[in-house]
C-alpha cells in the first residue's frame, strides 16, 4: 500500500474514531486553526470543541513524529499521546488558548519514539467552549 493510500485510510479511521464529551464539531469558520498537513499527515482534526481525541494507526518507526495542537476560546488544553505497542505515553503538554486568537503547541518526537501501529491522542479542554484542532505528521 502506498504512503498516500495509507495516509488516506488512517485519516478516515481517525475521523471515525474522533470522540468527545464536549459540544462536538464546531461550525466551520473561514480561519482554520491548523492547515491540512498534506502528504506527511497521519491525522488532521480540522476543528472540535471541548474534550476529545483520536485513535489512529499507520505510524512509521523510522520517521520523526510531530504532534501539533492549536486552540482558542479562553483557558487551556492538556494534550497526551500514547502508543499502543507497547502501551506508553510518548508526549504530554499544555497549550494556552487565548480568547481572541489561536494558541499553538507542538512536540517533535525522534524516529523510534512512536512505535509502528496504533496511537491515541487525548485533548482535555478546561472549558467546553474551547475550539481546537490537531495534526500528527511524520515528515520525511
Amino acid at each position: 500500500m502506498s504512503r498516500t493510500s495509507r495516509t488516506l485510510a488512517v485519516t478516515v479511521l481517525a475521523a471515525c474514531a474522533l470522540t468527545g464529551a464536549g459540544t462536538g464539531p464546531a461550525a466551520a469558520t473561514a480561519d482554520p486553526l491548523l492547515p491540512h498537513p498534506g502528504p506527511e499527515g497521519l491525522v488532521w482534526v480540522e476543528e472540535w470543541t471541548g474534550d476529545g481525541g483520536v485513535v489512529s494507526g499507520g505510524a512509521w518507526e523510522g520517521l520523526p513524529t510531530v504532534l501539533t495542537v492549536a486552540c482558542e476560546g479562553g483557558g487551556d488544553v492538556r494534550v497526551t499521546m500514547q502508543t499502543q505497542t507497547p502501551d506508553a505515553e510518548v508526549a504530554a503538554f499544555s497549550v494556552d488558548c487565548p480568547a481572541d486568537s489561536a494558541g499553538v503547541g507542538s512536540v517533535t518526537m525522534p524516529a523510534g519514539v512512536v512505535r509502528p501501529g496504533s496511537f491515541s491522542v487525548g485533548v482535555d479542554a478546561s472549558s467546553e467552549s474551547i475550539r481546537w484542532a490537531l495534526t500528527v505528521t511524520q515528515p520525511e
Side-chain angles (χ1 to χ4, degrees):
M1 178 182 282
S2 74
R3 180 172 170 92
T4 303
S5 297
R6 193 161 100 156
T7 299
L8 178 59
V10 169
T11 302
V12 169
L13 172 64
C16 292
L18 187 65
T19 62
T23 59
T29 63
D31 290 328
L33 292 169
L34 290 174
H36 187 277
E40 297 176 337
L42 298 177
V43 174
W44 178 43
V45 177
E46 184 175 10
E47 189 170 322
W48 199 260
T49 57
D51 296 337
V54 65
V55 175
S56 188
W60 294 9
E61 185 175 13
L63 294 172
T65 304
V66 181
L67 169 59
T68 304
V69 175
C71 60
E72 68 179 13
D76 61 18
V77 294
R78 174 91 173 127
V79 182
T80 56
M81 182 175 189
Q82 290 192 297
T83 61
Q84 305 304 310
T85 314
D87 187 20
E89 185 174 274
V90 294
F93 60 97
S94 293
V95 181
D96 289 328
C97 309
D100 55 359
S101 64
V104 179
S106 187
V107 63
T108 300
M109 294 154 276
V113 171
V114 176
R115 309 292 293 173
S118 63
F119 60 88
S120 63
V121 179
V123 179
D124 182 19
S126 63
S127 166
E128 294 300 318
S129 63
I130 291 178
R131 179 173 80 110
W132 57 267
L134 74 80
T135 61
V136 178
T137 59
Q138 287 195 306
E140 293 191 48

